[in-house]
Amino acid sequence: MSLTKYKLVLGLEIHLHPKINKKMFCYCSSDIWGKEPNTLTCPVCLGLPGALPVPNREAVEKTQLLGMALKCEINQKSRFDRKHYFYPDLPKGYQISQYKQPLCVGGSLKLDNGFVVELDRIHLEEDVAKSFHVNSQTLIDFNKSGVALIEMVTKPVFTNVTDAVDFCKKVQNIIRFLEIGDVDMEKGQLRLEANVSVRTEEMENANELAPYKVEIKNINSFKFLEKAVNAEFERQVEVFTSGEIPKQENRGFNEATGKTVTQRDKEEAHDYRYFPEPDIPPMEFDDDYLAGITSQLRELPDEAVSRYESMGISLATARTIVNNFGLDTVILFDQALKKGLDPIKSANFLVNKKEIIEAAAKGSEHLYSMLEQLIKGNSDNLDEEKLAGVIDQVLEMNPKAVGDYKKGNTNSISFLVGQVMKETKGGADPMVVRKKIEGKL
Ligand SMILES: [Zn+2]
């Protein structure tokens, strides 16, 4: 089997629950996590005959806001469509979704490595119920039925799964920065589907796609995405190697075997018999309305990183604060900086001392005084000369670690850095200490 001859083609569908109080087309609560099954339902979300859906305005607004953040074109005319299929978790026999006129079309997002991910569309729909298979029985919980679901579809642009994971993490952070949703994957608030196909190198060079795609459903973690796509890629290459073409179908990933398994044949769009939802009038958005949504756009994660960089904070440190710590920390840190702290020193303490982040939860005042003390203590007590003295002392007292390092065991330097940090009561910058020790040895 030659994996190098074949190239991966990957597109993503990201499903997320926007943070709103009600379901998409009724007034049931959307706060479904951990609730007793079938306690958050009404005739609309149970799909009873004659019940009339009313779209949730906030869900529409949040979808458009996300579209604006991702440079989509916002359709001024949009509508809902019925998507028909039969499944126990869908009592109406159709799902209210969007087909011909989604809320947002196109759009793109640039990854940190410069790769630009092109989007196909972002639309709004309703989630389905949840089925459980217990022994030979199927149980259904309708609490999730009718919860608003934003669906983002990328073009099949990914040629490796690492970029796909980076993209998902970036999107997740944007959603959190704009407070569109909490997107907690463990709670099912963000779910992924991967469209996987394989092509030859010649096809890749000619920018040609394969005539089929396999959809992997229900991906609920980034690790899972990586494993499932890699397993499916290998399976398809094997099918090709045996002289056949993989079938267009839906597959699931079995974590125990590390392989994907067939679920059902993949429908073509015409199988869904889409038609306009007759119970919901088409939507029209005028310029004033859209200007109102634009005004809700705030600083996006990449813009926050650039702002920190312009203060002299290193790119890696800025990304750690923004992407790993998230919006709450950015807000607190900004408030603390406004009181006149040195941004570079503060940022270094913030990313190097775990206890600061923990303590910062008590508020920006607390964060400010902690950082202020650290910076003051650092400059009062720890001039270059003093630090050099501490390092010499630590090296002298730990001949074994020094010897190990000289023998090539580079791990022992972490121990030495730790000893210096202890002696300076955490006042030194561990990166600086490491460099100085490396210089001396
Ligand atoms: Zn309901």
Side-chain angles (χ1 to χ4, degrees):
M1 187 172 73
S2 157
L3 285 170
T4 50
K5 216 175 104 191
Y6 293 100
K7 302 284 175 187
L8 172 74
V9 181
L10 173 64
L12 289 179
E13 292 174 23
I14 298 183
H15 292 91
L16 65 115
H17 286 162
K19 195 177 183 172
I20 54 175
N21 298 328
K22 307 288 176 206
K23 290 190 183 180
M24 185 61 226
F25 297 113
C26 63
Y27 300 102
C28 293
S29 167
S30 59
D31 186 15
I32 57 170
W33 178 250
K35 297 292 184 312
E36 189 74 12
N38 296 308
T39 52
L40 302 169
T41 63
C42 73
V44 173
C45 54
L46 285 172
L48 299 185
L52 287 174
V54 178
N56 183 299
R57 184 189 171 115
E58 236 188 309
V60 172
E61 289 176 354
K62 287 197 185 285
T63 308
Q64 290 167 322
L65 182 62
L66 181 59
M68 286 176 181
L70 295 170
K71 302 192 192 76
C72 301
E73 187 188 318
I74 311 300
N75 271 332
Q76 289 203 273
K77 288 184 180 178
S78 180
R79 70 171 201 220
F80 287 99
D81 297 282
R82 289 188 180 181
K83 176 184 184 181
H84 297 82
Y85 63 97
F86 180 77
Y87 208 70
D89 60 17
L90 189 68
K92 295 197 290 286
Y94 62 85
Q95 179 187 25
I96 305 178
S97 181
Q98 296 198 287
Y99 182 50
K100 282 275 165 69
Q101 289 172 289
L103 286 166
C104 317
V105 287
S108 64
L109 181 66
K110 193 175 182 183
L111 304 185
D112 290 345
N113 66 7
F115 180 67
V116 177
V117 180
E118 284 175 75
L119 304 184
D120 185 53
R121 58 194 275 144
I122 304 176
H123 71 244
L124 190 55
E125 58 187 30
E126 56 178 341
D127 208 341
V128 295
K130 191 173 166 72
S131 43
F132 303 84
H133 306 288
V134 182
N135 300 325
S136 60
Q137 286 184 311
T138 296
L139 305 172
I140 301 186
D141 174 10
F142 283 94
N143 286 351
K144 188 161 73 72
S145 174
V147 169
L149 199 59
I150 298 176
E151 176 170 343
M152 178 190 302
V153 184
T154 75
K155 294 193 169 157
V157 287
F158 297 102
T159 55
N160 65 75
V161 72
T162 313
D163 282 353
V165 171
D166 285 351
F167 171 75
C168 291
K169 287 184 178 168
K170 240 181 160 51
V171 166
Q172 190 181 36
N173 217 17
I174 289 172
I175 290 164
R176 286 179 177 156
F177 264 64
L178 293 174
E179 294 181 272
I180 288 168
D182 293 334
V183 281
D184 183 339
M185 294 189 90
E186 278 180 25
K187 293 182 180 176
Q189 294 166 342
L190 179 74
R191 309 193 300 264
L192 309 167
E193 287 175 16
N195 292 314
V196 181
S197 59
V198 164
R199 61 183 171 186
T200 59
E201 205 163 352
E202 293 77 43
M203 285 166 81
E204 187 178 80
N205 292 337
N207 210 10
E208 246 178 81
L209 292 175
Y212 73 95
K213 64 180 179 191
V214 172
E215 193 167 323
I216 308 174
K217 312 286 269 187
N218 297 322
I219 300 172
N220 54 14
S221 79
F222 299 135
K223 267 254 138 40
F224 190 148
L225 174 69
E226 227 170 318
K227 284 190 205 164
V229 169
N230 287 334
E232 179 57 17
F233 175 64
E234 283 180 29
R235 186 193 70 86
Q236 290 185 20
V237 169
E238 269 177 54
V239 175
F240 270 113
T241 316
S242 72
E244 288 176 46
I245 292 177
K247 218 169 49 160
Q248 173 127 335
E249 61 180 343
N250 287 346
R251 296 179 75 89
F253 179 65
N254 181 329
E255 283 216 271
T257 63
K259 288 184 183 337
T260 63
V261 286
T262 186
Q263 284 181 333
R264 58 180 162 131
D265 290 350
K266 167 99 184 100
E267 291 86 350
E268 299 283 345
H270 61 255
D271 294 329
Y272 289 126
R273 294 179 295 117
Y274 280 104
F275 66 75
E277 167 58 58
D279 290 335
I280 304 174
M283 298 172 280
E284 267 197 69
F285 309 103
D286 62 24
D287 293 341
D288 281 352
Y289 167 88
L290 290 174
I293 307 289
T294 312
S295 71
Q296 294 177 39
L297 270 177
R298 287 196 237 144
E299 185 183 56
L300 297 175
D302 279 353
E303 292 164 351
V305 169
S306 303
R307 179 165 57 82
Y308 287 151
E309 267 195 288
S310 72
M311 296 174 178
I313 297 170
S314 77
L315 177 62
T317 301
R319 279 186 180 153
T320 303
I321 295 170
V322 173
N323 299 334
N324 299 7
F325 298 166
L327 178 64
D328 290 348
T329 302
V330 168
I331 292 172
L332 284 171
F333 185 55
D334 285 348
Q335 286 167 349
L337 286 185
K338 270 197 196 125
K339 295 182 181 163
L341 291 175
D342 178 306
I344 302 171
K345 284 181 188 159
S346 304
N348 286 340
F349 277 121
L350 190 64
V351 298
N352 287 313
K353 291 175 86 67
K354 217 172 136 220
E355 61 271 26
I356 296 189
I357 280 288
E358 284 157 11
K362 289 184 192 162
S364 68
E365 200 63 50
H366 195 76
L367 177 64
Y368 168 76
S369 56
M370 267 188 99
L371 288 171
E372 193 195 28
Q373 271 173 31
L374 282 166
I375 292 169
K376 200 163 167 284
N378 202 17
S379 50
D380 282 357
N381 308 324
L382 211 70
D383 51 34
E384 287 278 310
E385 211 176 309
K386 184 152 188 182
L387 179 60
V390 173
I391 289 174
D392 285 341
Q393 192 190 341
V394 165
L395 295 184
E396 212 181 290
M397 282 167 65
N398 295 283
K400 185 170 180 308
V402 171
D404 286 350
Y405 178 80
K406 285 186 172 159
K407 273 184 227 148
N409 178 5
T410 46
N411 286 335
S412 64
I413 200 165
S414 302
F415 169 77
L416 295 168
V417 173
Q419 293 304 305
V420 175
M421 295 305 289
K422 209 164 135 191
E423 288 298 318
T424 58
K425 298 195 171 55
D429 178 342
M431 296 303 278
V432 173
V433 173
R434 176 177 279 263
K435 281 216 181 83
K436 281 191 191 290
I437 294 179
E438 278 169 353
K440 283 193 190 259
L441 294 179

